[in-house]
């Protein structure tokens, strides 16, 4: 909190503010995917533009062009992810905008790489300069429209995708 006896600081874009994050969340996701595609094509051509397409007879049967094809594709995949997070710590945020009334727009990001899985903590929100302590620190409870995103990319998230060859075959398969 600001003091009545301290001069009010003029905040500018690019100034740094430390946000003390105090939040907790729990989430889980289970994904079971199954894809089955079966197709059959049987066709024979008996005439072409009114001309019979018979090429003779063998053993009592006629020789006529016919086409037959069968396709059977199947994919099954499963994946599961769960997380229970108590995010506490500090994220350095940058003042990206100062409104005419002095309200600050804050944005900050921290990335952590654990065995190829990149976890990002992205923080955005609005703060009153009066709530920022003299050491430029503010509690996340005092940030309006606080948005904390805990986002991950890496091999664990890749388990929810069809293998690349299966995706190609699904696009080019005629039936």
């Amino acid at each position: 909190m600001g003091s009545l006896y301290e001069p009010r600081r003029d905040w500018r874009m690019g100034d740094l503010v430390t946000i003390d994050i105090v939040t907790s969340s729990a989430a889980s996701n289970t994904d079971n995917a199954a894809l089955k595609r079966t197709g059959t094509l049987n066709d024979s051509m008996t005439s072409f533009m009114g001309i019979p397409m018979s090429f003779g007879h063998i053993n009592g049967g006629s020789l006529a062009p016919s086409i037959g094809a069968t396709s059977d594709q199947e994919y099954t995949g499963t994946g599961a992810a769960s997380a229970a997070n108590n995010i506490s710590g500090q994220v350095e945020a940058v003042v990206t905008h100062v409104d005419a009334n002095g309200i600050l727009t804050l944005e900050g990001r921290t990335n952590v790489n654990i065995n190829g899985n990149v976890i990002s903590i992205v923080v955005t929100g609005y703060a009153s300069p009066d709530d920022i302590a003299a050491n430029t620190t503010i509690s996340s409870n005092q940030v309006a429209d606080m948005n904390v995103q805990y986002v991950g990319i890496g091999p664990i998230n890749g388990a929810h995708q069809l293998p690349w060859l299966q995706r190609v075959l699904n696009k080019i398969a005629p039936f």
Side-chain angles (χ1 to χ4, degrees):
M1 284 278 187
S3 168
L4 294 175
Y5 304 107
E6 291 180 15
R8 186 172 177 150
R9 178 176 172 172
D10 288 328
W11 290 91
R12 291 179 287 199
M13 290 179 20
D15 286 346
L16 297 177
V17 175
T18 302
I19 300 176
D20 283 328
I21 300 175
V22 286
T23 185
S24 63
S25 65
S28 65
N29 182 20
T30 302
D31 188 12
N32 293 316
L35 172 66
K36 182 165 178 64
R37 182 186 274 183
T38 304
T40 303
L41 173 67
N42 289 314
D43 198 8
S44 62
M45 186 181 290
T46 57
S47 68
F48 180 72
M49 298 180 71
I51 301 172
M53 294 296 292
S54 178
F55 299 109
H57 297 280
I58 293 183
N59 295 334
S62 67
L63 292 173
S66 65
I67 299 170
T70 302
S71 172
D72 190 10
Q73 301 174 5
E74 189 169 337
Y75 167 79
T76 303
T78 60
S82 63
N85 299 297
N86 291 320
I87 301 173
S88 61
Q90 296 180 329
V91 173
E92 285 295 319
V94 176
V95 175
T96 59
H97 183 74
V98 180
D99 286 341
N101 63 356
I103 298 297
L104 309 174
T105 302
L106 304 175
E107 293 183 18
R109 175 186 207 103
T110 299
N111 295 324
V112 178
N113 186 335
I114 302 172
N115 295 329
N117 293 298
V118 178
I119 305 298
S120 298
I121 300 172
V122 181
V123 179
T124 59
Y126 303 96
S128 169
D130 295 335
D131 293 333
I132 299 174
N135 64 354
T136 68
T137 301
I138 187 171
S139 171
S140 62
N141 295 329
Q142 294 174 308
V143 177
D145 199 17
M146 181 73 168
N147 185 3
V148 177
Q149 295 181 16
Y150 188 77
V151 182
I153 59 171
I156 292 174
N157 292 329
H160 297 282
Q161 297 176 351
L162 284 173
W164 69 269
L165 183 58
Q166 186 69 37
R167 289 192 309 257
V168 170
L169 291 175
N170 286 340
K171 294 207 184 288
I172 62 172
F175 43 86

mmCIF file of all heavy atoms in Angstrom, residues 10-32:
data_model
loop_
_atom_site.group_PDB
_atom_site.id
_atom_site.type_symbol
_atom_site.label_atom_id
_atom_site.label_comp_id
_atom_site.label_asym_id
_atom_site.label_seq_id
_atom_site.Cartn_x
_atom_site.Cartn_y
_atom_site.Cartn_z
ATOM 1 N N ASP A 10 5.725 7.953 -10.513
ATOM 2 C CA ASP A 10 5.209 8.018 -11.876
ATOM 3 C C ASP A 10 5.628 6.749 -12.601
ATOM 4 O O ASP A 10 6.822 6.527 -12.836
ATOM 5 C CB ASP A 10 5.764 9.247 -12.608
ATOM 6 C CG ASP A 10 5.173 10.546 -12.099
ATOM 7 O OD1 ASP A 10 3.999 10.528 -11.688
ATOM 8 O OD2 ASP A 10 5.884 11.564 -12.115
ATOM 9 N N TRP A 11 4.652 5.918 -12.932
ATOM 10 C CA TRP A 11 4.930 4.657 -13.609
ATOM 11 C C TRP A 11 4.947 4.873 -15.114
ATOM 12 O O TRP A 11 4.159 5.630 -15.655
ATOM 13 C CB TRP A 11 3.868 3.619 -13.244
ATOM 14 C CG TRP A 11 3.980 3.167 -11.824
ATOM 15 C CD1 TRP A 11 3.351 3.701 -10.737
ATOM 16 C CD2 TRP A 11 4.792 2.111 -11.341
ATOM 17 N NE1 TRP A 11 3.721 3.043 -9.607
ATOM 18 C CE2 TRP A 11 4.608 2.038 -9.947
ATOM 19 C CE3 TRP A 11 5.666 1.209 -11.938
ATOM 20 C CZ2 TRP A 11 5.248 1.108 -9.148
ATOM 21 C CZ3 TRP A 11 6.297 0.274 -11.142
ATOM 22 C CH2 TRP A 11 6.094 0.237 -9.769
ATOM 23 N N ARG A 12 5.865 4.181 -15.768
ATOM 24 C CA ARG A 12 5.985 4.276 -17.228
ATOM 25 C C ARG A 12 6.008 2.873 -17.831
ATOM 26 O O ARG A 12 6.349 1.906 -17.149
ATOM 27 C CB ARG A 12 7.267 5.009 -17.610
ATOM 28 C CG ARG A 12 7.220 6.488 -17.242
ATOM 29 C CD ARG A 12 8.495 7.133 -17.618
ATOM 30 N NE ARG A 12 9.490 6.666 -16.631
ATOM 31 C CZ ARG A 12 10.629 7.259 -16.383
ATOM 32 N NH1 ARG A 12 10.968 8.317 -17.051
ATOM 33 N NH2 ARG A 12 11.463 6.798 -15.473
ATOM 34 N N MET A 13 5.698 2.801 -19.117
ATOM 35 C CA MET A 13 5.796 1.535 -19.830
ATOM 36 C C MET A 13 7.236 1.037 -19.752
ATOM 37 O O MET A 13 8.172 1.815 -19.878
ATOM 38 C CB MET A 13 5.361 1.699 -21.294
ATOM 39 C CG MET A 13 3.875 1.937 -21.422
ATOM 40 S SD MET A 13 3.228 2.189 -23.094
ATOM 41 C CE MET A 13 4.420 1.537 -24.176
ATOM 42 N N GLY A 14 7.380 -0.249 -19.493
ATOM 43 C CA GLY A 14 8.703 -0.843 -19.381
ATOM 44 C C GLY A 14 9.179 -0.989 -17.950
ATOM 45 O O GLY A 14 10.147 -1.709 -17.701
ATOM 46 N N ASP A 15 8.529 -0.313 -16.994
ATOM 47 C CA ASP A 15 8.895 -0.492 -15.592
ATOM 48 C C ASP A 15 8.558 -1.916 -15.151
ATOM 49 O O ASP A 15 7.624 -2.541 -15.648
ATOM 50 C CB ASP A 15 8.139 0.501 -14.697
ATOM 51 C CG ASP A 15 8.677 1.938 -14.822
ATOM 52 O OD1 ASP A 15 9.768 2.105 -15.380
ATOM 53 O OD2 ASP A 15 7.974 2.854 -14.366
ATOM 54 N N LEU A 16 9.329 -2.430 -14.201
ATOM 55 C CA LEU A 16 9.132 -3.789 -13.703
ATOM 56 C C LEU A 16 8.382 -3.792 -12.384
ATOM 57 O O LEU A 16 8.627 -2.945 -11.519
ATOM 58 C CB LEU A 16 10.481 -4.486 -13.516
ATOM 59 C CG LEU A 16 11.312 -4.705 -14.772
ATOM 60 C CD1 LEU A 16 12.655 -5.332 -14.412
ATOM 61 C CD2 LEU A 16 10.570 -5.570 -15.762
ATOM 62 N N VAL A 17 7.489 -4.768 -12.242
ATOM 63 C CA VAL A 17 6.730 -4.974 -11.018
ATOM 64 C C VAL A 17 6.819 -6.458 -10.685
ATOM 65 O O VAL A 17 6.624 -7.307 -11.557
ATOM 66 C CB VAL A 17 5.253 -4.562 -11.181
ATOM 67 C CG1 VAL A 17 4.452 -4.896 -9.937
ATOM 68 C CG2 VAL A 17 5.138 -3.098 -11.525
ATOM 69 N N THR A 18 7.118 -6.793 -9.454
ATOM 70 C CA THR A 18 7.169 -8.185 -9.030
ATOM 71 C C THR A 18 5.802 -8.581 -8.511
ATOM 72 O O THR A 18 5.267 -7.940 -7.606
ATOM 73 C CB THR A 18 8.225 -8.384 -7.924
ATOM 74 O OG1 THR A 18 9.493 -7.949 -8.425
ATOM 75 C CG2 THR A 18 8.306 -9.831 -7.501
ATOM 76 N N ILE A 19 5.231 -9.628 -9.085
ATOM 77 C CA ILE A 19 3.925 -10.125 -8.646
ATOM 78 C C ILE A 19 4.158 -11.371 -7.802
ATOM 79 O O ILE A 19 4.759 -12.338 -8.266
ATOM 80 C CB ILE A 19 3.021 -10.461 -9.852
ATOM 81 C CG1 ILE A 19 2.795 -9.218 -10.723
ATOM 82 C CG2 ILE A 19 1.688 -11.035 -9.374
ATOM 83 C CD1 ILE A 19 2.002 -9.494 -11.982
ATOM 84 N N ASP A 20 3.705 -11.332 -6.543
ATOM 85 C CA ASP A 20 3.746 -12.500 -5.673
ATOM 86 C C ASP A 20 2.512 -13.340 -5.989
ATOM 87 O O ASP A 20 1.388 -12.955 -5.657
ATOM 88 C CB ASP A 20 3.719 -12.090 -4.195
ATOM 89 C CG ASP A 20 5.060 -11.588 -3.716
ATOM 90 O OD1 ASP A 20 6.093 -12.072 -4.218
ATOM 91 O OD2 ASP A 20 5.072 -10.702 -2.838
ATOM 92 N N ILE A 21 2.723 -14.469 -6.632
ATOM 93 C CA ILE A 21 1.599 -15.323 -7.027
ATOM 94 C C ILE A 21 1.244 -16.243 -5.870
ATOM 95 O O ILE A 21 2.095 -16.951 -5.338
ATOM 96 C CB ILE A 21 1.948 -16.155 -8.267
ATOM 97 C CG1 ILE A 21 2.277 -15.232 -9.432
ATOM 98 C CG2 ILE A 21 0.806 -17.092 -8.624
ATOM 99 C CD1 ILE A 21 2.749 -15.958 -10.660
ATOM 100 N N VAL A 22 -0.016 -16.214 -5.496
ATOM 101 C CA VAL A 22 -0.544 -17.107 -4.475
ATOM 102 C C VAL A 22 -1.846 -17.674 -5.021
ATOM 103 O O VAL A 22 -2.904 -17.103 -4.861
ATOM 104 C CB VAL A 22 -0.763 -16.385 -3.123
ATOM 105 C CG1 VAL A 22 0.555 -16.124 -2.438
ATOM 106 C CG2 VAL A 22 -1.510 -15.080 -3.302
ATOM 107 N N THR A 23 -1.752 -18.796 -5.716
ATOM 108 C CA THR A 23 -2.936 -19.413 -6.290
ATOM 109 C C THR A 23 -2.748 -20.924 -6.325
ATOM 110 O O THR A 23 -1.632 -21.421 -6.292
ATOM 111 C CB THR A 23 -3.210 -18.882 -7.721
ATOM 112 O OG1 THR A 23 -4.439 -19.420 -8.192
ATOM 113 C CG2 THR A 23 -2.100 -19.243 -8.673
ATOM 114 N N SER A 24 -3.845 -21.652 -6.366
ATOM 115 C CA SER A 24 -3.770 -23.104 -6.463
ATOM 116 C C SER A 24 -4.833 -23.574 -7.439
ATOM 117 O O SER A 24 -5.870 -22.933 -7.611
ATOM 118 C CB SER A 24 -3.958 -23.762 -5.102
ATOM 119 O OG SER A 24 -5.243 -23.475 -4.609
ATOM 120 N N SER A 25 -4.549 -24.704 -8.078
ATOM 121 C CA SER A 25 -5.495 -25.262 -9.033
ATOM 122 C C SER A 25 -5.290 -26.761 -9.133
ATOM 123 O O SER A 25 -4.233 -27.284 -8.779
ATOM 124 C CB SER A 25 -5.315 -24.617 -10.407
ATOM 125 O OG SER A 25 -4.044 -24.948 -10.929
ATOM 126 N N ALA A 26 -6.310 -27.431 -9.607
ATOM 127 C CA ALA A 26 -6.221 -28.873 -9.861
ATOM 128 C C ALA A 26 -6.938 -29.150 -11.166
ATOM 129 O O ALA A 26 -8.010 -28.595 -11.431
ATOM 130 C CB ALA A 26 -6.864 -29.652 -8.724
ATOM 131 N N ALA A 27 -6.336 -29.993 -11.992
ATOM 132 C CA ALA A 27 -6.937 -30.323 -13.278
ATOM 133 C C ALA A 27 -6.515 -31.719 -13.684
ATOM 134 O O ALA A 27 -5.445 -32.196 -13.318
ATOM 135 C CB ALA A 27 -6.501 -29.312 -14.333
ATOM 136 N N SER A 28 -7.379 -32.373 -14.442
ATOM 137 C CA SER A 28 -7.018 -33.668 -15.001
ATOM 138 C C SER A 28 -7.675 -33.797 -16.361
ATOM 139 O O SER A 28 -8.715 -33.180 -16.628
ATOM 140 C CB SER A 28 -7.460 -34.803 -14.080
ATOM 141 O OG SER A 28 -8.869 -34.843 -13.999
ATOM 142 N N ASN A 29 -7.049 -34.579 -17.206
ATOM 143 C CA ASN A 29 -7.559 -34.773 -18.551
ATOM 144 C C ASN A 29 -7.254 -36.204 -18.958
ATOM 145 O O ASN A 29 -6.123 -36.654 -18.868
ATOM 146 C CB ASN A 29 -6.887 -33.774 -19.516
ATOM 147 C CG ASN A 29 -7.426 -33.907 -20.922
ATOM 148 O OD1 ASN A 29 -8.499 -34.432 -21.130
ATOM 149 N ND2 ASN A 29 -6.670 -33.435 -21.884
ATOM 150 N N THR A 30 -8.278 -36.905 -19.409
ATOM 151 C CA THR A 30 -8.107 -38.250 -19.939
ATOM 152 C C THR A 30 -8.678 -38.254 -21.337
ATOM 153 O O THR A 30 -9.781 -37.740 -21.569
ATOM 154 C CB THR A 30 -8.851 -39.288 -19.067
ATOM 155 O OG1 THR A 30 -8.338 -39.195 -17.740
ATOM 156 C CG2 THR A 30 -8.657 -40.682 -19.590
ATOM 157 N N ASP A 31 -7.924 -38.816 -22.259
ATOM 158 C CA ASP A 31 -8.336 -38.810 -23.649
ATOM 159 C C ASP A 31 -8.248 -40.224 -24.194
ATOM 160 O O ASP A 31 -7.188 -40.846 -24.148
ATOM 161 C CB ASP A 31 -7.416 -37.875 -24.449
ATOM 162 C CG ASP A 31 -7.886 -37.667 -25.865
ATOM 163 O OD1 ASP A 31 -9.016 -38.044 -26.186
ATOM 164 O OD2 ASP A 31 -7.096 -37.115 -26.660
ATOM 165 N N ASN A 32 -9.365 -40.739 -24.656
ATOM 166 C CA ASN A 32 -9.407 -42.033 -25.315
ATOM 167 C C ASN A 32 -9.938 -41.793 -26.717
ATOM 168 O O ASN A 32 -11.054 -41.307 -26.884
ATOM 169 C CB ASN A 32 -10.333 -43.005 -24.577
ATOM 170 C CG ASN A 32 -9.795 -43.364 -23.211
ATOM 171 O OD1 ASN A 32 -8.614 -43.633 -23.070
ATOM 172 N ND2 ASN A 32 -10.652 -43.346 -22.206
#
